[in-house]
Amino acid sequence: MRLIDHFIAGGTGGLVSPRKGDVFDPNNGGVQAQVVLGDAAVLQRAVDAALAAQPAWAATNPQRRARVMFRFKELVEANMDELARLLSAEHGKVIADSKGDIQRGLEVVEFACGIPHVLKGEFTQGAGPGIDVYSFRQPIGIGAGITPFNFPGMIPLWMSAIAIATGNAFIIKPSERDPSVPVRLAELFIEAGLPEGICQVVHGDKEMVDAILDHPAIGAVSFVGSSDIAHYVYNRGVAAGKRVQAMGGAKNHGIVMPDADLDQVVNDLAGAAFGSAGERCMALPVVVPVGADTAERLKAKLIPAIEALKVGISTDPEAHYGPVVTQAHKEKIEGWIAKCVEEGGELIIDGRGFKLQGHEDGFFVGPTLIDHVTPDMDSYHNEIFGPVLQIVRADGFEEALSLASKHQYGNGVALFTRNGRAAREFAARVNVGMVGINVPIPVPVAYHTFGGWKRSAFGDTNQHGMEGVKFWTKVKTVTQRWPDGSAELGNAFVIPTMG
Ligand code: NAD
């Protein structure tokens, strides 16, 4: 059986990890590989390699660091087919979607190619007599990333590209469900000319995560995953004196105003609710039609669109989406569907028990539509993370706005309307971090920043863009004086002022 090993100092690190985890084949069920589950000793090996390599990398001028990013981008592009196949085989998303996953990450690599420009500091000449002040950003030293299963290409690239381009050594602990793509990316970094020890991969579960959070040499930890774990990671990392950003779960609302173009909305919803089997933190699993008439018109158009969706294996070019990641996750999704019905939801399309011919043991869940879901239901309050669309009806704009604003999660939200005034007001007032106006999945471009509000993110900096640069660097400010002897230097016992 294939064994997925750590990637330390450009190789496997020469350590045997006795614990191993199963990596499943979501298309067919069963185990396709095993991943080693490391511990503090494995992490120490990676930290030692990082400590040895990082000072020289930080001293490499930013233009040379950027050249490695350019070469890395070309290598990822050249290997896109292989990477996408690997990603689909472990995650279950269809190949075109896996390419999109990697491409969204590559866009952050493109941003990182411009790192010499964004690392330019600030300078004030003549802040006082003979005094100049300048500020510049320096790397943290060693940074770590802990990532979820659902974007095994994009999220490791969000973190690694900026952490590395800014001069850090970076250690990634990918999801143990689909760990192969981050290893392949680390290998491509070395091929692109990155020194060994600057991008490393350690595998594991809670034991490895705790070792990362407690290690005194790791100065910054970026986490993406579910909210309870994000909160735990944030608290433990901060208690250990680290800089931590921890992105959590989501339950994004798509609000449909009576004047919206319903054909376009249905098209958008089909992709945003069911694409990648709903396993996206920016999916739209809740639709809020405003007014009973909008709800009925929308439902009439949604039903045939959902019934026409094709579920298939991840290599099927015709499939709209593939299996979910594990049998346990399939059971959890089906459990939430049952719970929602028990709570009074009206089941319109039931995806439970879906079997794909020839792949009966695969982890498939059919598309599911549930109407008359209400805010007091647990199944509304919680993230289902599957191909399930819940309809929550609202009487007016204010009610719809307040649903999204009051939900425990605040990652993304979308408003569908032709009314610019309503859109403007919605964007200003909604209590959510990323807003789409007639854009169903408002994931910001790489040079802006990604991050939710409320229980969707702990910490105060976002991923990528300038927020990413700030997270992976610390600012140093130098005040220098070269007196020419003409001015009185004042009393050294009084706090200096510019008065
Ligand atoms: P998860 O929280 O189970 O796992 C995330 C990481 O935490 C993994 O690397 C895992 O090994 C580790 N982990 C798991 N249990 C742990 C524990 N008890 N202690 C310490 N570490 C632990 O998340 P997942 O199922 O892999 O991913 C799906 C979740 O991620 C969803 O909630 C989704 O909304 C969220 N997500 C959020 C964003 C965002 O940017 N807000 C993006 C993608 C995914």
Side-chain angles (χ1 to χ4, degrees):
M1 175 146 329
R2 184 165 65 98
L3 183 71
I4 303 160
D5 211 338
H6 309 293
F7 185 77
I8 294 174
T12 58
L15 279 177
V16 180
S17 289
R19 287 198 311 127
K20 295 184 180 62
D22 291 334
V23 176
F24 295 98
D25 168 4
N27 288 315
N28 300 300
V31 177
Q32 61 164 306
Q34 287 209 302
V35 59
V36 293
L37 301 176
D39 54 14
V42 169
L43 180 67
Q44 189 57 50
R45 199 59 84 91
V47 167
D48 289 344
L51 285 170
Q54 194 266 339
W57 178 242
T60 301
N61 77 51
Q63 207 157 355
R64 287 186 176 203
R65 295 203 300 258
R67 281 187 199 132
V68 173
M69 292 293 151
F70 277 109
R71 281 196 294 272
F72 174 67
K73 169 180 145 60
E74 285 170 5
L75 282 171
V76 174
E77 282 166 348
N79 288 276
M80 180 64 94
D81 288 342
E82 178 219 334
L83 286 163
R85 265 198 312 278
L86 196 55
L87 198 159
S88 287
E90 291 182 358
H91 176 286
K93 63 176 80 174
V94 296
I95 298 277
D97 202 26
S98 291
K99 288 186 178 170
D101 182 330
I102 296 160
Q103 179 58 33
R104 282 313 289 248
L106 262 191
E107 289 168 11
V108 179
V109 178
E110 286 167 352
F111 171 77
C113 288
I115 212 73
H117 175 67
V118 299
L119 279 183
K120 282 185 305 193
E122 296 177 330
F123 185 86
T124 302
Q125 190 189 30
I131 295 178
D132 300 329
V133 179
Y134 62 97
S135 303
F136 55 99
R137 307 199 73 91
Q138 290 187 310
I140 299 282
I142 305 180
I146 301 163
T147 55
F149 81 84
N150 69 321
F151 277 101
M154 178 182 81
I155 294 177
L157 286 170
W158 278 357
M159 299 172 180
S160 58
I162 298 181
I164 292 170
T166 51
N168 295 284
F170 182 70
I171 299 173
I172 183 158
K173 206 272 337 141
S175 167
E176 59 276 44
R177 315 256 167 273
D178 47 11
S180 290
V181 166
V183 177
R184 208 45 211 115
L185 292 172
E187 288 169 354
L188 292 177
F189 261 127
I190 300 288
E191 212 178 313
L194 192 70
E196 289 175 2
I198 297 298
C199 185
Q200 305 181 91
V201 185
V202 294
H203 298 292
D205 50 16
K206 178 172 167 42
E207 187 176 346
M208 180 57 89
V209 172
D210 287 349
I212 291 171
L213 295 172
D214 296 345
H215 200 294
I218 295 175
V221 175
S222 179
F223 172 91
V224 179
S226 54
S227 287
D228 286 349
I229 313 284
H231 199 194
Y232 165 79
V233 163
Y234 181 76
N235 287 332
R236 188 160 174 158
V238 167
K242 296 182 199 317
R243 185 178 285 193
V244 184
Q245 56 177 198
M247 276 64 194
K251 189 100 183 201
N252 307 320
H253 295 49
I255 293 163
V256 184
M257 296 297 285
D259 66 353
D261 174 348
L262 286 194
D263 291 320
Q264 184 61 46
V265 169
V266 166
N267 206 21
D268 286 345
L269 275 175
F274 300 103
S276 197
E279 294 170 318
R280 289 183 185 141
C281 67
M282 289 295 276
L284 276 187
V286 175
V287 60
V288 184
V290 172
D293 176 60
T294 312
E296 291 309 322
R297 287 188 296 128
L298 180 70
K299 192 162 86 172
K301 286 177 186 281
L302 261 178
I303 293 171
I306 294 173
E307 282 172 345
L309 290 175
K310 180 165 190 255
V311 184
I313 55 169
S314 54
T315 48
D316 178 351
E318 307 284 307
H320 292 109
Y321 72 86
V324 301
V325 69
T326 57
Q327 177 66 22
H329 191 50
K330 172 182 157 81
E331 285 165 16
K332 185 177 146 203
I333 295 165
E334 294 192 338
W336 276 119
I337 298 170
K339 172 81 176 164
C340 189
V341 175
E342 197 185 296
E343 291 177 311
E346 186 193 330
L347 190 59
I348 310 287
I349 301 173
D350 187 356
R352 288 173 295 176
F354 181 93
K355 294 270 178 223
L356 187 69
Q357 209 183 357
H359 300 271
E360 286 77 6
D361 294 329
F363 311 140
F364 295 94
V365 181
T368 298
L369 180 66
I370 312 177
D371 196 2
H372 296 288
V373 174
T374 53
D376 55 326
M377 295 180 184
D378 270 358
S379 58
Y380 165 74
H381 193 62
N382 286 287
E383 183 179 39
I384 298 176
F385 220 54
V388 180
L389 180 59
Q390 294 174 304
I391 303 178
V392 181
R393 294 166 176 238
D395 285 337
F397 174 82
E398 287 297 331
E399 188 185 344
L401 174 73
S402 127
L403 276 169
S405 292
K406 286 188 178 151
H407 199 280
Q408 63 164 335
Y409 296 119
N411 218 36
V413 68
L415 181 78
F416 299 95
T417 184
R418 288 184 167 105
N419 181 334
R421 173 94 190 78
R424 187 170 180 272
E425 182 167 345
F426 181 83
R429 288 175 57 201
V430 71
N431 187 21
V432 170
M434 291 175 281
V435 181
I437 303 296
N438 298 314
V439 171
I441 305 184
V443 175
V445 289
Y447 41 96
H448 283 254
T449 83
F450 182 105
W453 289 2
K454 299 180 279 181
R455 277 181 57 76
S456 293
F458 303 91
D460 51 14
T461 44
N462 279 358
Q463 300 280 348
H464 63 68
M466 283 312 292
E467 294 257 315
V469 173
K470 281 187 183 155
F471 182 76
W472 294 111
T473 55
K474 49 198 178 187
V475 71
K476 184 177 277 179
T477 305
V478 178
T479 303
Q480 63 176 6
R481 180 171 64 185
W482 299 104
D484 63 4
S486 63
E488 183 105 358
L489 288 183
N491 185 340
F493 294 96
V494 176
I495 180 82
T497 67
M498 292 301 152

